[in-house]
Amino acid sequence: MQRTTATLARNEYDLLIIGGGAFGAAAARDAALRGLRTALIERNDFGGGASAECFKMVHGGIRYLQHADIPRLRGSCHERSALLRIAPHLVSPLPIAIPTYGYGRSGKVFLGTGARVYDLFTLDRNRGIRDPDRKIGNTRLLSRDEVLRMFPHLQTPGLSGAVVFEDGQMYNAARLVLAFVKGATEAGADVCNYAEAVRFLWSGSTVRGARVRDQLTGDEFDVRARLTLNAAGPWADYLQNDAQHFGTPKRLPFSRDAYFIIDRVPSSSHGIAIQGLSRDKDALLGRQTRHLFAAPWRDKTLLGVWHKLFPEFPDRARVLPEEIEEWMAEINTVYPTLQLKPEEVSFAHCGLVPFGETATATELSFGKESRLTDHRQAHNVNGLVSLVGIRFTMARVDAARALNLLLKQADRAPAESASDRLPLPGGDIENFASFEADACRASPPGVSMQSMQALVRNHGTQYRSVLDEGSNATIATIPGTGTLTAEVRYAVSHEMAVHLDDVVMRRTDLAAGSHPGRAALLATAAEMGRLLSWSAERLNQEIARTEHTLQTHLARDSSSRVASDRAAHRTAVDPASETASPSHGAMLAETTVRATA
């Protein structure tokens, strides 16, 4: 992928897509696969909004059993299966335990029966998934002792065991978005980040593209298109702030969905779902309160998600330190044995998604589906459909729905693509475990097992192209991390990374769950500066920009603590050992939080 605005200004497209998050990227790939001449623009970086900030869960729809909403249950299951098929390097199954207590709605019989009913509704969930390790397993039951071995803090008199179901988890949400963007370019789409649509182009009451500002140069140009899809998420309404064509502006509610990462090594490969403090008032079946989640992710634990109505401009969404303290107080009240401290938070995420219009602080009314607007019916405006996505899992199918609606206005309506079966770039892998093992055995000198595994997870079959960016026989790593300098070069040369935070936050694992350390930022900036001919002033600006981004995520540098923990462990246990035992291995911070399923 090469960034160029000249191509966008020169051509006329069948379709312009505004917004390069999961939904816009999926739409661009689908449209290009259908043979449409497609352009995709994003005001910031691809996946830089809610998509990269999501809880990394790929939901299969078990929550919708409570609502007796079988179509949505089946649809979510289909999309989870699609992601496991087309991106096996980036998506894998995650077992989740639901603790059971006594009898009735909290008991093993009731919950186990419900989970097995879900199994029946999703019998085809593994259709077309070649990799046995990517197949979703059936419901299984755990005894009380089995649960306590995994989750010691659940020690309570009423605990009877757990029901385990499986969902999916993303290894790297930002790179999954990027895989869709790459798939769009491979199918012929023109894509560009840091290109902001400032207003629509009009021919009477018909939208004919958009006036676009290059965020890097300040230049403006027109992108002409027969049809336009506004997939700008929480920014979509602002683009339609045009009373002449859209009437009185009305911004529908958004939720700031926030979660944080604890620097504790999980004691189990299972996530855990616990009853929260808020009710799902739309549920017809199931427990009185919503299920909440904590999940192991890499060597850390994800805790979330907190929901908050957020009426402000989307760029202002962030997690505040005092909120962390409030959440920690709640957690420690419910599970005092955890003794979580705010300073253990190594990273905080948040993104905006559609919220229900009747939500309150304790009576949560969650958005049910993505917002899809045909502006012919809503505003008598032709050539425009808006899609505001609600759940990453549904990005591919909701993008297809939006395209089908929009293409009703086209002279020709090409057939739907096989976007749910064609592997994303890097995803054509028969058996990921075998593929990863082969790659690690053939790793170049100087590349550790950890670095190689991360490289294969992030790039799949394209990892060899990344290694080709290495300039020496021995490939160097960024100081204090497992990230290769070759990954930085590849991000700049082939993945449209133009700012330091593009590489640190989204192209690599440098900021995956914590601050990578000052030395890592300086080394990455120096490498990018060399490739992009940055001046000393630009270099300092990029470092300051990235530090600010990390600060807004409350990112904590855990490298020094981890190094000292490992050194202490080697000294106390085995001076020759290179492996540290988990400093918090006795606990997985599975927590009661106000979270969504």
Side-chain angles (χ1 to χ4, degrees):
M1 298 193 307
Q2 301 297 324
R3 185 181 187 277
T4 174
T5 57
T7 301
L8 293 173
R10 183 172 59 247
N11 293 328
E12 182 171 354
Y13 295 92
D14 297 319
L15 175 66
L16 168 64
I17 299 170
I18 300 170
F23 290 80
R29 175 180 181 250
D30 190 352
L33 287 172
R34 297 188 194 202
L36 298 173
R37 191 165 195 179
T38 304
L40 170 69
I41 59 173
E42 162 58 43
R43 69 188 290 267
N44 290 314
D45 190 25
F46 300 121
S51 297
E53 301 287 327
C54 72
F55 194 56
K56 300 176 177 65
M57 292 284 286
V58 180
H59 297 286
I62 193 171
R63 170 188 167 194
Y64 304 133
L65 194 62
Q66 298 179 77
H67 303 91
D69 192 341
I70 307 308
R72 271 204 300 162
L73 181 154
R74 295 276 302 151
S76 291
C77 177
H78 182 275
E79 292 310 302
R80 180 187 62 192
S81 299
L83 288 173
L84 288 164
R85 277 195 303 271
I86 67 178
H89 56 310
L90 288 165
V91 181
S92 58
L94 174 69
I96 299 173
I98 308 175
T100 56
Y101 300 89
Y103 302 96
R105 291 189 175 190
S106 296
K108 190 179 291 187
V109 173
F110 181 85
L111 292 173
T113 299
R116 288 191 170 112
V117 169
Y118 172 72
D119 288 345
L120 291 175
F121 280 124
T122 59
L123 283 174
D124 58 348
R125 59 188 174 273
N126 293 317
R127 182 177 297 168
I129 298 176
R130 298 176 291 174
D131 188 340
D133 290 337
R134 294 300 181 266
K135 293 185 177 182
I136 298 295
N138 288 320
T139 295
R140 52 195 185 274
L141 304 181
L142 300 179
S143 69
R144 172 186 169 88
D145 289 343
E146 288 173 318
V147 173
L148 291 177
R149 279 196 292 271
M150 290 191 292
F151 310 117
H153 78 277
L154 288 178
Q155 181 83 41
T156 56
L159 180 71
S160 60
V163 174
V164 175
F165 71 97
E166 290 190 4
D167 247 344
Q169 186 180 60
M170 305 175 202
Y171 180 81
N172 188 322
R175 288 212 64 89
L176 185 54
V177 175
L178 193 66
F180 276 102
V181 176
K182 287 185 169 185
T185 61
E186 288 187 2
D190 294 328
V191 305
C192 191
N193 55 355
Y194 296 101
E196 179 181 13
V198 294
R199 63 178 179 274
F200 293 121
L201 302 178
W202 295 92
S203 176
S205 61
T206 300
V207 172
R208 292 298 188 190
R211 183 70 173 175
V212 176
R213 179 183 297 116
D214 186 339
Q215 298 282 58
L216 303 184
T217 66
D219 296 338
E220 292 192 1
F221 56 93
D222 291 340
V223 178
R224 298 175 298 278
R226 297 178 180 87
L227 299 170
T228 300
L229 175 64
N230 182 3
W235 292 270
D237 294 338
Y238 294 96
L239 189 56
Q240 292 156 197
N241 189 11
D242 177 351
Q244 178 183 350
H245 294 100
F246 297 104
T248 303
K250 180 184 178 183
R251 181 167 170 78
L252 293 174
F254 280 85
S255 167
R256 188 210 62 180
D257 284 11
Y259 73 97
F260 58 90
I261 300 176
I262 287 287
D263 194 15
R264 288 193 183 186
V265 178
S267 63
S268 172
S269 60
H270 289 52
I272 190 166
I274 329 175
Q275 286 180 264
L277 302 179
S278 57
R279 291 183 61 245
D280 181 355
K281 61 181 174 180
D282 299 319
L284 303 178
L285 304 169
R287 296 178 170 184
Q288 293 180 342
T289 55
R290 295 180 59 82
H291 276 136
L292 317 170
F293 291 94
W297 181 69
R298 308 193 188 190
D299 62 345
K300 293 180 172 61
T301 302
L302 311 183
L303 304 173
V305 173
W306 278 267
H307 301 278
K308 176 183 178 181
L309 286 169
F310 194 84
E312 301 177 47
F313 189 69
D315 288 354
R316 301 191 184 103
R318 64 190 58 185
V319 177
L320 301 176
E322 53 265 33
E323 291 179 301
I324 295 290
E325 295 180 5
E326 176 187 341
W327 299 339
M328 285 293 180
E330 178 183 359
I331 292 167
N332 288 327
T333 298
V334 179
Y335 293 114
T337 57
L338 288 176
Q339 289 299 300
L340 296 179
K341 300 177 178 62
E343 56 266 25
E344 291 183 275
V345 174
S346 60
F347 214 88
H349 286 275
C350 71
L352 301 185
V353 298
F355 215 178
E357 295 186 54
T358 61
T360 67
T362 57
E363 296 283 327
L364 304 183
S365 177
F366 295 89
K368 302 296 187 297
E369 296 180 283
S370 297
R371 295 173 184 164
L372 187 58
T373 305
D374 184 343
H375 291 279
R376 289 183 303 173
Q377 298 180 2
H379 304 105
N380 199 30
V381 168
N382 299 311
L384 177 67
V385 163
S386 291
L387 169 63
V388 180
I390 193 169
R391 189 163 287 111
F392 196 131
T393 307
M394 303 301 289
R396 190 207 63 83
V397 69
D398 284 352
R401 288 174 54 221
L403 288 179
N404 291 339
L405 183 60
L406 191 54
L407 287 171
K408 290 180 179 179
Q409 303 182 50
D411 296 333
R412 62 183 182 90
E416 292 192 28
S417 72
S419 63
D420 63 336
R421 297 186 297 277
L422 292 174
L424 291 173
D428 191 8
I429 301 170
E430 187 77 27
N431 184 300
F432 183 79
S434 296
F435 176 79
E436 182 184 52
D438 290 343
C440 289
R441 279 193 294 269
S443 61
V447 179
S448 69
M449 178 78 72
Q450 175 193 10
S451 296
M452 200 67 197
Q453 288 173 333
L455 183 66
V456 172
R457 287 301 301 265
N458 280 319
H459 293 270
T461 58
Q462 297 185 338
Y463 81 89
R464 299 179 186 89
S465 298
V466 180
L467 291 176
D468 288 343
E469 293 291 319
S471 58
N472 304 310
T474 299
I475 299 177
T477 56
I478 300 297
T481 77
T483 299
L484 306 177
T485 54
E487 294 178 71
V488 178
R489 290 193 285 271
Y490 188 80
V492 172
S493 301
H494 301 285
E495 295 182 337
M496 289 191 188
V498 296
H499 286 297
L500 177 60
D501 59 355
D502 297 340
V503 170
V504 171
M505 301 296 295
R506 289 172 291 278
R507 300 297 188 279
T508 70
D509 285 345
L510 283 169
S514 63
H515 191 299
R518 184 70 176 179
L521 290 187
L522 294 176
T524 306
E527 185 66 21
M528 290 189 71
R530 183 182 65 80
L531 295 168
L532 296 171
S533 301
W534 286 346
S535 65
E537 181 183 10
R538 172 69 184 275
L539 198 72
N540 289 330
Q541 289 173 348
E542 291 290 336
I543 294 170
R545 171 192 170 108
T546 303
E547 287 282 21
H548 175 73
T549 300
L550 290 164
Q551 183 180 13
T552 62
H553 285 84
L554 307 180
R556 182 173 61 86
D557 181 2
S558 58
S559 58
S560 58
R561 185 191 63 76
V562 171
S564 62
D565 283 353
R566 288 178 176 170
H569 178 75
R570 286 197 297 270
T571 302
V573 180
D574 181 358
S577 172
E578 291 298 323
T579 303
S581 63
S583 57
H584 302 278
M587 299 181 188
L588 169 65
E590 315 81 9
T591 326
T592 301
V593 290
R594 296 191 188 103
T596 178

